[in-house]
Every structure is written in structure tokens, then in C-alpha cells.
Amino acid sequence: MQAVLKDSGLKVTTQRCKLLEFLIQVDEQHLTVENIYQGLNAQGKSIGLNTVYRIMAHFEQAGLVVRRQFESENAVYELSGKPRHDHLICLTCGKLIEFADPLIDLRLWLAAERYGMSVDHHSLNIYGHCFDCKKKLESKSGR
Amino acid sequence: MQAVLKDSGLKVTTQRCKLLEFLIQVDEQHLTVENIYQGLNAQGKSIGLNTVYRIMAHFEQAGLVVRRQFESENAVYELSGKPRHDHLICLTCGKLIEFADPLIDLRLWLAAERYGMSVDHHSLNIYGHCFDCKKKLESKSGR
DNA sequence: GTCGGTGCAAATCCTTTGCACCCTC
DNA sequence: GAGGGTGCAAAGGATTTGCACCGAC
């Protein structure tokens, strides 16, 4: 744990260890700062909310986590190192599906190149309705 | 002007007319609420900031404008009706380029379909460095 | 011992809301 | 004249910052 932090060029502190441990332990995509804060405190690991904000900012800079922001929702973080992926989001129930399409990635590259741009990263989110919600919507309105 | 509002099912008021006129007049992509507020007041058209927020929310619901949110920046609006497009954003100078790639759109559709999802809309933003900024970066570090 | 990290509280920023008044239909 | 629209000021929520203290190196 400490080694990970050190290797990332981060100072080792109790809070950072706990936080990182927590991220690995819950291994969930898309945790909000509030989630992390609540989660840690629920486990009796007391930590300040602003500290979570600061640590996550550091972690992001160090490349340990990735920060995402969907439409007008709060920022979420996830451990980096998982393969790159994009998101499908259900507008009704909020379900979140991850997918990856190499062909899309390639086209992005080409599009950027066409305008003389290099690609650092991208964000691609598709909003729609999932199978279950579509069915529910239909049965409600379709009578 | 009034006709447009009426057709969109919106009540016609002086503020809404002025605001819509302004949007058409500056015809710029990606205006923040603050931009609009400042712009209108600079033209002597007094309007409340919260009114701009409320009107833009109505305009969005009515489909007159599209709301976008880039990374952790403030929300921006643009008149809808322009062809669908995605964005290339320079991380250095903030330059914004629009592009469209039908093949990408198609792949998005397919990806959604694979998971049983319908597509309502999507947001695709590519972050990188534009030609000019790349050159500047290289000349700075490359010595 | 120094310097960065942490906690608390207060501040900030964007956005929304409550309420009295005004205007459109 | 009724009901939604507007302005002001105040509330709200997420995130950041100031400052004194603490801990890591």
C-alpha cells in the first residue's frame, strides 16, 4: 500500500493509505467524494471531507485514479488501470454500463488528427433508456 | 421572434425575446449563463441573472437550445438546430473545434443496441493539444 | 526541525428557490 | 383577473481555502 503511494511520488500518510485501501476494497466504479467520505467514516476510519477532496486531487494528478463528470452530476472517481472504456447511462434508472469499441477510438484519433490535434484523453457518454426501463415506459404510456 | 417562442410552447415575454434575439445575434457556440447575462446587460437590456438561468432551462426543455458541460467547467448553451457534432478541446489554450463523424454515430448506436439500450443523446469530447500549442510546448521543453 | 498533510470552519462559486410584484393571455 | 414570469435577496450544494496543528522524512 505504502509502496504504491511512494511509487506514485506521494507522501505516505495514514489517511492516504486508508483511502487507497478503501478504493481497492470496494472496487466500485464511480465513487463520489461523498461516497468515499461516508464509506470511510462508516468503517470508523475518521477523515475530513476536505481531505478526501484534496487526496483525490493528488491521486488524480499522480494517475492513480480517473475523475469523470456526467451531465450535471457530481464528479466521480475510479481507480485507473482498468482498460479504457466509455459509458452508457440510463436516463430513467441511472444504470451505468461500460463498453469499449476500438473502432470508435480509432475514429476519434483520426478526427483529432484531421484538425492537427493530439489526443490526451476523451469522454464519451451515451444517454438513453435501458431495456427494463423501456419496457416499463411502454407499458405505462402504451394503453 | 415571438412566433418562435409561441411555436415552442413558451409564453412570450420581453426578457425571453431579448434573450433569444441575443443568442441568434451572437451566434456563438457555448455561451455560459454568465456570458449571456453580461452580454445582455452590456447592451442595456437589463435582466436578472436568475431569470437567465430559468429561461435557459425552459429553452432547453422546449428544445430551442442544447446544454453541455465540459469536464469541470460551467454549463454552456448553444442554439439547437445546428447539425449534431462533437468536440475537440485544447487543454492548453481552450480552443474548441467541432466535428462530426457519421461512422462514430453509427458505432455508438450499435454499442447501445448491444446492451439493449436506446439512444437519447450523447456527449463526446476529445481533450488534447492543438497544433499551435503543441509547437509552443515543444519549443519550450525541447531544448 | 522542516515541509507538506490534515482538520475545522469559513469562504467561494455556480445554481436554485421564496416571495412579492408585474405582465401576458 | 388568473397564472405564469420576473427581480431581488437569500438559500443551497459541491468544492476550495485559511490557518493552526500534527506527522513524515
Side-chain angles (χ1 to χ4, degrees):
Chain A
M1 196 88 306
Q2 286 115 304
V4 179
L5 290 172
K6 231 176 234 167
D7 289 354
S8 306
L10 293 168
K11 213 168 186 178
V12 177
T13 70
T14 352
Q15 287 86 341
R16 291 177 179 191
C17 286
K18 288 186 205 160
L19 207 163
L20 180 53
E21 200 171 344
F22 178 77
L23 291 180
I24 293 171
Q25 170 197 323
V26 302
D27 185 37
E28 202 170 316
Q29 329 277 341
H30 314 117
L31 290 164
T32 64
V33 168
E34 196 64 27
N35 289 156
I36 300 170
Y37 174 66
Q38 301 288 351
L40 279 170
N41 282 301
Q43 297 187 357
K45 320 255 175 71
S46 137
I47 192 173
L49 177 57
N50 61 339
T51 303
V52 178
Y53 275 104
R54 280 192 277 223
I55 294 183
M56 294 316 287
H58 275 134
F59 279 12
E60 189 195 5
Q61 276 206 318
L64 281 177
V65 299
V66 174
R67 177 196 164 110
R68 297 187 196 288
Q69 185 137 28
F70 299 115
E71 303 258 291
S72 26
E73 281 162 28
N74 301 351
V76 292
Y77 291 92
E78 73 186 67
L79 282 172
S80 56
K82 342 203 150 200
R84 238 223 69 263
H85 58 263
D86 300 309
H87 297 92
L88 288 158
I89 299 123
C90 175
L91 291 168
T92 312
C93 67
K95 178 161 41 194
L96 214 146
I97 301 170
E98 306 186 338
F99 75 96
D101 182 341
L103 184 48
I104 290 181
D105 294 349
L106 174 63
R107 296 296 298 186
L108 297 188
W109 246 95
L110 292 175
E113 197 164 69
R114 197 182 320 142
Y115 293 95
M117 282 194 60
S118 64
V119 176
D120 179 85
H121 66 284
H122 76 258
S123 114
L124 167 55
N125 306 307
I126 307 178
Y127 299 87
H129 300 281
C130 70
F131 190 67
D132 296 341
C133 290
K134 267 192 295 183
K135 266 199 308 201
K136 277 178 209 152
L137 281 176
E138 274 159 23
S139 63
K140 228 175 248 167
S141 65
R143 140 191 350 157
Chain B
M1 197 88 305
Q2 286 114 305
V4 179
L5 291 172
K6 231 176 235 166
D7 290 353
S8 305
L10 292 168
K11 214 168 185 178
V12 177
T13 69
T14 352
Q15 287 87 340
R16 290 176 179 192
C17 285
K18 287 186 206 160
L19 207 163
L20 180 52
E21 201 171 344
F22 178 77
L23 291 180
I24 294 172
Q25 171 197 322
V26 302
D27 185 38
E28 204 170 315
Q29 329 277 343
H30 315 117
L31 290 163
T32 64
V33 168
E34 196 64 27
N35 289 156
I36 300 170
Y37 173 67
Q38 300 288 351
L40 279 171
N41 282 301
Q43 298 186 357
K45 319 253 173 76
S46 137
I47 192 173
L49 177 58
N50 61 336
T51 303
V52 178
Y53 274 104
R54 280 194 276 226
I55 294 184
M56 294 316 287
H58 275 134
F59 279 12
E60 190 196 6
Q61 275 206 317
L64 280 177
V65 298
V66 173
R67 177 194 164 110
R68 297 186 195 288
Q69 186 137 27
F70 298 115
E71 304 258 290
S72 27
E73 281 163 27
N74 301 350
V76 292
Y77 291 94
E78 74 187 66
L79 283 171
S80 57
K82 342 204 150 197
R84 238 224 68 263
H85 58 262
D86 299 310
H87 296 92
L88 288 158
I89 299 122
C90 176
L91 291 167
T92 312
C93 67
K95 178 160 43 192
L96 213 146
I97 301 170
E98 306 185 339
F99 75 96
D101 182 341
L103 184 49
I104 289 180
D105 294 349
L106 173 63
R107 298 295 300 185
L108 297 189
W109 247 94
L110 293 176
E113 199 163 68
R114 199 183 317 144
Y115 292 96
M117 282 195 59
S118 65
V119 176
D120 180 85
H121 66 284
H122 76 257
S123 115
L124 166 54
N125 306 308
I126 306 178
Y127 300 86
H129 299 281
C130 70
F131 190 68
D132 295 341
C133 289
K134 268 192 295 181
K135 265 200 307 198
K136 276 177 209 153
L137 281 176
E138 275 158 23
S139 63
K140 229 175 246 167
S141 66
R143 139 192 351 159

